[in-house]
């Protein structure tokens, strides 16, 4: 059965699709409502010497979900942070970004390799927890067939996800633990 769509509805639908396509094409940084997130995207673009669109894609795919907290703060180090840095004028750039919130610390290391046109990211998310939480995570990973234990002793263990660059580190102390998720990713610059 063929349904006829009134011309006015069709026109509105077509216009809506065109505008959403335009918004998506423009998209990027303009879709961010949080001024701190916008500033982060702009600063990342400046520091890594990449386009704002590329910076937004890195932000959207690898960083934004770590800012899903009401209260967070961030700071960074870069090629010229050290007074005696010999890589200030290097064509390869780095950005060490630390995000802090109430219950975790996220360290992101971004390296832009200019000749290779790629940004490599290492994401380290550290969660200080009570001892019981660390022990629970240890038992969970030990039973999970996707992970293999690389090393352990009475105070720590680390697991690698099979076939991946992902690791989970667990450190157990007298009353506390630290659960740390480590991931390695890359982003191609076109």
């Amino acid at each position: 059965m063929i349904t006829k769509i009134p011309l006015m509805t069709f026109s509105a639908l077509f216009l809506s699709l065109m505008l959403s396509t335009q918004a998506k094409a423009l998209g990027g940084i303009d879709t961010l409502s949080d001024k701190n997130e916008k500033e982060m995207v702009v600063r990342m673009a400046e520091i890594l010497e990449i386009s704002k669109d590329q910076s937004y894609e890195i932000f959207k795919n690898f960083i934004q979900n770590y800012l899903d907290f009401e209260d967070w703060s961030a700071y960074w180090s870069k090629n010229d942070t050290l007074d005696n840095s010999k890589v200030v004028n290097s064509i390869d750039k780095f950005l060490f970004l630390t995000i802090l919130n109430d219950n975790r610390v996220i360290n992101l290391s971004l390296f832009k390799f200019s000749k290779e046109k790629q940004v490599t990211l290492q994401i380290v998310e550290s969660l200080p927890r009570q001892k019981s939480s660390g022990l629970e995570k240890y038992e969970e990973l030990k039973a999970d067939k996707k992970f293999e234990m690389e090393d352990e002793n009475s105070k720590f263990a680390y697991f690698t996800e099979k076939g991946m660059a992902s690791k989970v580190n667990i450190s157990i102390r007298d009353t506390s633990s630290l659960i740390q998720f480590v991931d390695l990713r890359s982003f191609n610059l076109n």
Side-chain angles (χ1 to χ4, degrees):
M1 176 178 185
I2 298 175
T3 305
K4 290 186 178 182
I5 300 174
L7 185 57
M8 197 64 170
T9 304
F10 180 78
S11 297
L13 180 62
F14 181 75
L15 182 60
S16 173
L17 284 172
M18 289 302 293
L19 289 174
S20 70
T21 303
Q22 284 291 346
K24 193 169 199 158
L26 294 173
I29 194 169
D30 295 327
T31 63
L32 296 173
S33 58
D34 185 288
K35 71 178 179 88
N36 293 322
E37 290 182 359
K38 282 183 181 180
E39 181 183 333
M40 185 179 287
V41 170
V42 169
R43 292 286 292 141
M44 281 176 37
E46 291 169 356
I47 292 167
L48 295 174
E49 296 180 359
I50 58 178
S51 73
K52 286 181 188 174
D53 289 339
Q54 292 167 331
S55 181
Y56 172 76
E57 286 300 314
I58 291 170
F59 176 80
K60 181 180 77 169
N61 291 315
F62 305 111
I63 299 172
Q64 189 172 33
N65 63 320
Y66 294 111
L67 302 177
D68 194 20
F69 296 91
E70 282 187 37
D71 192 19
W72 60 269
S73 182
Y75 66 90
W76 45 67
S77 302
K78 52 194 172 96
N79 285 52
D80 64 354
T81 298
L82 294 174
D83 289 339
N84 61 351
S85 174
K86 293 182 179 183
V87 295
V88 170
N89 297 315
S90 174
I91 62 169
D92 297 320
K93 302 296 178 187
F94 69 82
L95 169 63
F96 300 128
L97 175 63
T98 300
I99 300 170
L100 306 157
N101 65 45
D102 287 343
N103 69 1
R104 68 194 65 211
V105 175
I106 301 103
N107 291 299
L108 296 106
S109 301
L110 296 90
F111 296 92
K112 178 193 146 201
F113 299 98
S114 297
K115 190 173 114 184
E116 292 79 6
K117 297 184 179 180
Q118 189 173 68
V119 174
T120 300
L121 299 93
Q122 182 184 40
I123 305 162
V124 180
E125 183 178 11
S126 302
L127 292 77
R129 297 291 184 258
Q130 292 183 4
K131 183 177 182 176
S132 60
S133 296
L135 291 171
E136 285 173 26
K137 190 64 170 176
Y138 169 81
E139 292 298 332
E140 175 189 321
L141 291 169
K142 199 170 168 184
D144 190 335
K145 301 291 184 209
K146 293 188 311 185
F147 286 87
E148 58 188 10
M149 186 183 312
E150 296 289 329
D151 197 5
E152 79 171 315
N153 68 23
S154 62
K155 296 192 186 229
F156 72 84
Y158 67 92
F159 298 83
T160 301
E161 188 173 356
K162 293 177 183 173
M164 306 293 281
S166 303
K167 295 193 179 303
V168 181
N169 306 319
I170 300 173
S171 175
I172 307 292
R173 297 294 176 235
D174 292 336
T175 60
S176 64
S177 68
L178 180 68
I179 303 169
Q180 193 174 65
F181 299 94
V182 182
D183 206 359
L184 194 61
R185 302 286 180 98
S186 63
F187 179 82
N188 293 322
L189 303 168
N190 297 331

